[in-house]
Amino acid sequence: MPIVCATGCGRGIKTMFKRSALPVLTVLGVIIALWYAACVPMNSAWTAQQLARSGATMTVTETVGAAWSQDRPRLPAPHQVAVELWDTVVMKKITSKRSLVYHGWITLSATLLGFAIGTSLGILLAVGIVHSRAMDMSVMPWAIVSQTIPIIAIAPMIIVVLYSIGVQGMIPKAIISAYLSFFPVVVGMAKGLRSPDAMQLDLLRTYYASDAQGFWKLRLPASMPYLFASLKIAVAASLVGAIVGELPTGAVRGLGARLLAGSYYGQTVQIWSALFAAAILAACLVAIIGLIEKVALRRMGMRQ
Amino acid sequence: MNGLVFLRVVSNLVISAQNLDLTFQTNDGPVHALKDVSLKIGKGEFVSFIGPSGCGKTTFLRCIAGLEQPTGGQISVNGMTPEEARKARAYGYVFQAAGLYPWRTIGGNIKLPLEIMGFSKAEQAARVARVMELVDLSGFEKKFPWQLSGGMQQRASIARALAFDADILLMDEPFGALDEIVRDHLNEQLLALWARTGKTIGFVTHSIPEAVYLSTKIVVMSPRPGRITDVIESTLPKERPLDIRESKEFIEIAHRVRDGLRAGHQDDV
Ligand SMILES: Nc1ncnc2c1ncn2[C@@H]1O[C@H](COP(=O)(O)OP(=O)(O)OP(=O)(O)O)[C@@H](O)[C@H]1O
Ligand SMILES: [Mg+2]
């Protein structure tokens, strides 16, 4: 029986891989092809200008080749971004100002701090909302309003206000990051804490359990799947918050700073590689939360 | 002689409801769930509630446990209000669905009331082991609910209700979702358990044979408004093998229950 399962599971994973890998690779291939194609019209204007100035001519192949290998293309070709990523992630010492790992870490540390603050705040607010009608009525509308204000508008204000009281560096970024990440946690956690049905609550009443016992023994464990789902959203939002927090100050360190510097100097390759670095970082963070979720819920017996 | 019997019954009284009324205020207007319900249940009785859907069986059980506030009449449990009795941990309540916590093992689920009531760790372990044996679940302590069949889950929920040794066991259609064979088996086990522990049991069911087989007293109810139409004292002996259900006595009681149910239906039509 175990042998059957072992081979069965192996086959299952293999077919699953085949099934999911093939479409994913196809889509990726199509995107890269479209990207290369788009580079030609985007970047050929510059080539044409140069040609007009020098009076030389070029074949189609040469035009395409030029479009894919400019120093400061409007749209860099995929391989240029890949090379830049390789250079700045792997080839540079991580203490170097040109290392993306260095900048990534700056942003990541603000993200993690902001995520921790946002998650704690979100959980506390959710607990309050579920236990107090007054908080339910007062906090939730404000939480929703807070998310309707564009972060790009509020980020500079937060930074300026904090700067005026002498707080700068990682803290303001973390606060902006927390501002974005507490919301999904409040919503998910409140829903989770309310997920036990009437029967389960009545059962506790027949034991004459206190509210605190109801919280620790029923509401909190019942909310875990909801919490993890919202943590995945929150961690991605945290990263966005940290990057946005680096933009208005003209920061010199962090992925946001790389984006900003890139756009000042027309270094599109640098912008794109910073963007990709941020996306990869976000994917890793979400995957890590997913892994913790799996382990935690399995240990709680809620997953097979 | 009569006076003496009366005195004995009174001193053994566990649940006493008098002219109980309960009206739910709903968006579609008031629902009269219980009307003028009076019932006395003595210590160690096994009382079944039977009647068509919506006749207030669950509501009455919830009133006994203080989960619902009657809008009229009086109810006392062990001479206290249901709320006080709840505080004194007088009830083990088994809901229609097993309602085990998916994040707790079977043992952990049975431990839940013991943790809440502050039993010592050693006492918890001993009681869990004892009630698990009582419902025939020994060896499944470390399993999670999803690893058990529906019938086993229901038995675990009964064990949970038994763990803290409440005097009164209230069961709301505990075997409703189970097949006939499992049901027979659990009925037998429940009777054995009742005989051993001498608990007072309130048991809701839709099945006439189940009610007759288990009960010392059968309460027939009818809906709109929910009320008691007949109370039948069983003449069956306390010792009840499964084949007692073929006996003449059994069939007569079942007939009377059926007639009571039919009568309730007729003034409905
Ligand atoms: N919380 C509630 N709010 C409003 N109406 C209710 C509520 N609980 C029960 N009722 C109504 O009271 C009546 C009695 O319901 P109850 O659940 O006691 O019936 P029941 O005899 O247990 O039925 P069933 O056999 O289907 O379980 C029904 O008409 C029901 O709609
Ligand atoms: Mg019911």
Side-chain angles (χ1 to χ4, degrees):
Chain A
M1 185 62 189
I3 298 167
V4 171
C5 173
T7 56
C9 296
R11 204 182 308 130
I13 289 167
K14 239 180 258 169
T15 51
M16 204 177 77
F17 180 74
K18 259 187 210 155
R19 248 185 235 153
S20 63
L22 199 66
V24 167
L25 288 178
T26 312
V27 170
L28 191 67
V30 169
I31 289 175
I32 291 179
L34 284 175
W35 186 352
Y36 269 116
C39 285
V40 178
M42 292 290 278
N43 301 337
S44 291
W46 183 84
T47 319
Q49 253 176 32
Q50 299 298 88
L51 286 180
R53 215 174 284 167
S54 64
T57 53
M58 259 185 178
T59 64
V60 173
T61 336
E62 280 169 339
T63 320
V64 170
W68 288 347
S69 57
Q70 287 174 13
D71 260 356
R72 294 180 178 187
R74 239 185 239 170
L75 178 63
H79 67 269
Q80 291 180 296
V81 177
V83 167
E84 169 80 6
L85 271 175
W86 177 260
D87 275 353
T88 51
V89 172
V90 183
M91 303 303 281
K92 291 275 180 304
K93 268 208 293 193
I94 58 167
T95 47
S96 156
K97 287 274 184 314
R98 291 209 51 210
S99 164
L100 260 190
V101 177
Y102 166 80
H103 291 285
W105 167 248
I106 298 291
T107 305
L108 180 63
S109 52
T111 302
L112 293 181
L113 181 61
F115 178 62
I117 298 173
T119 302
S120 319
L121 182 68
I123 291 176
L124 285 180
L125 285 177
V127 171
I129 283 172
V130 170
H131 284 93
S132 142
R133 216 181 134 59
M135 268 190 85
D136 187 20
M137 307 291 275
S138 57
V139 172
M140 212 48 180
W142 284 110
I144 292 168
V145 166
S146 77
Q147 302 302 301
T148 62
I149 304 169
I151 187 64
I152 209 81
I154 211 161
M157 294 195 276
I158 293 176
I159 288 168
V160 168
V161 168
L162 287 178
Y163 185 79
S164 72
I165 57 168
V167 180
Q168 51 180 321
M170 183 160 84
I171 304 291
K173 290 196 281 178
I175 286 176
I176 294 165
S177 162
Y179 182 92
L180 283 189
S181 61
F182 87 95
F183 184 67
V185 178
V186 174
V187 175
M189 192 70 185
K191 194 172 159 66
L193 290 173
R194 284 194 174 125
S195 65
D197 57 30
M199 195 204 83
Q200 289 183 312
L201 295 170
D202 280 341
L203 180 69
L204 288 184
R205 282 178 67 198
T206 66
Y207 303 150
Y208 211 79
S210 67
D211 279 358
Q213 287 171 326
F215 177 79
W216 290 110
K217 299 204 183 291
L218 175 59
R219 289 189 189 274
L220 191 67
S223 72
M224 282 304 124
Y226 296 82
L227 175 65
F228 278 112
S230 46
L231 285 186
K232 284 189 212 164
I233 304 169
V235 79
S238 287
L239 182 66
V240 171
I243 291 175
V244 167
E246 288 164 348
L247 295 180
T249 48
V252 290
R253 307 186 308 162
L255 291 177
R258 292 290 283 180
L259 287 174
L260 208 61
S263 69
Y264 279 157
Y265 304 114
Q267 294 285 2
T268 44
V269 180
Q270 181 183 323
I271 297 178
W272 280 81
S273 56
L275 274 180
F276 269 88
I280 292 165
L281 195 56
C284 290
L285 290 173
V286 173
I288 289 171
I289 303 270
L291 206 69
I292 297 173
E293 172 186 33
K294 233 187 177 153
V295 172
L297 293 188
R298 182 176 300 165
R299 287 193 63 183
M300 285 173 78
M302 286 158 98
R303 282 252 179 98
Q304 277 151 265
Chain B
M1 172 72 187
N2 254 345
L4 243 159
V5 170
F6 179 74
L7 255 179
R8 219 196 66 206
V9 169
V10 166
S11 65
N12 276 344
L13 203 59
V14 173
I15 295 161
S16 151
Q18 253 163 43
N19 312 107
L20 218 57
D21 253 293
L22 198 152
T23 310
F24 288 108
Q25 298 302 335
T26 69
N27 290 336
D28 312 328
V31 175
H32 208 164
L34 291 178
K35 180 174 183 275
D36 204 20
V37 170
S38 297
L39 186 70
K40 292 195 185 330
I41 299 178
K43 187 160 176 49
E45 277 196 88
F46 196 130
V47 182
S48 283
F49 299 90
I50 191 164
S53 193
C55 69
K57 305 180 293 291
T58 297
T59 306
F60 185 50
L61 222 57
R62 290 172 61 84
C63 283
I64 295 175
L67 296 175
E68 216 77 71
Q69 279 300 322
T71 44
Q74 270 113 41
I75 181 158
S76 74
V77 176
N78 288 333
M80 302 178 266
T81 67
E83 174 86 6
E84 286 164 345
R86 195 140 55 75
K87 198 168 177 177
R89 269 94 198 220
Y91 306 104
Y93 202 113
V94 180
F95 293 85
Q96 188 161 2
L100 301 171
Y101 291 179
W103 56 85
R104 279 176 178 250
T105 58
I106 299 303
N109 268 288
I110 297 172
K111 225 179 260 175
L112 175 74
L114 303 176
E115 288 172 9
I116 287 172
M117 297 174 190
F119 286 83
S120 73
K121 280 264 181 321
E123 180 75 17
Q124 287 180 18
R127 278 171 181 258
V128 168
R130 203 186 65 212
V131 291
M132 286 194 69
E133 199 183 327
L134 219 54
V135 297
D136 229 356
L137 274 182
S138 300
F140 291 91
E141 187 169 345
K142 297 232 154 55
K143 293 267 190 282
F144 281 101
W146 55 265
Q147 294 170 305
L148 267 59
S149 72
M152 291 162 95
Q153 291 187 25
Q154 199 52 265
R155 272 185 281 161
S157 86
I158 293 171
R160 181 177 60 184
L162 292 173
F164 52 99
D165 248 331
D167 299 340
I168 305 167
L169 198 55
L170 300 174
M171 310 174 88
D172 193 352
E173 292 186 54
F175 309 140
L178 305 178
D179 72 70
E180 202 85 14
I181 308 288
V182 175
R183 204 166 165 150
D184 280 352
H185 180 60
L186 290 181
N187 280 342
E188 264 186 303
Q189 282 185 316
L190 184 59
L191 268 189
L193 189 141
W194 170 68
R196 219 173 324 161
T197 57
K199 289 187 190 306
T200 309
I201 299 183
F203 187 94
V204 173
T205 178
H206 274 129
S207 153
I208 296 175
E210 190 173 66
V212 178
Y213 177 66
L214 292 173
S215 320
T216 57
K217 186 188 267 181
I218 302 159
V219 178
V220 183
M221 297 179 72
S222 90
R224 276 170 299 261
R227 63 199 183 279
I228 294 177
T229 49
D230 199 3
V231 177
I232 302 162
E233 299 283 348
S234 176
T235 50
L236 294 178
K238 203 164 177 180
E239 196 65 38
R240 298 176 186 181
L242 271 176
D243 56 19
I244 202 171
R245 295 181 297 186
E246 267 96 62
S247 74
K248 199 163 149 268
E249 219 174 349
F250 186 98
I251 291 166
E252 266 167 19
I253 300 172
H255 258 294
R256 204 178 141 194
V257 175
R258 194 178 303 273
D259 286 345
L261 285 173
R262 205 170 285 148
H265 254 287
Q266 262 154 12
D267 42 72
D268 190 45
V269 176

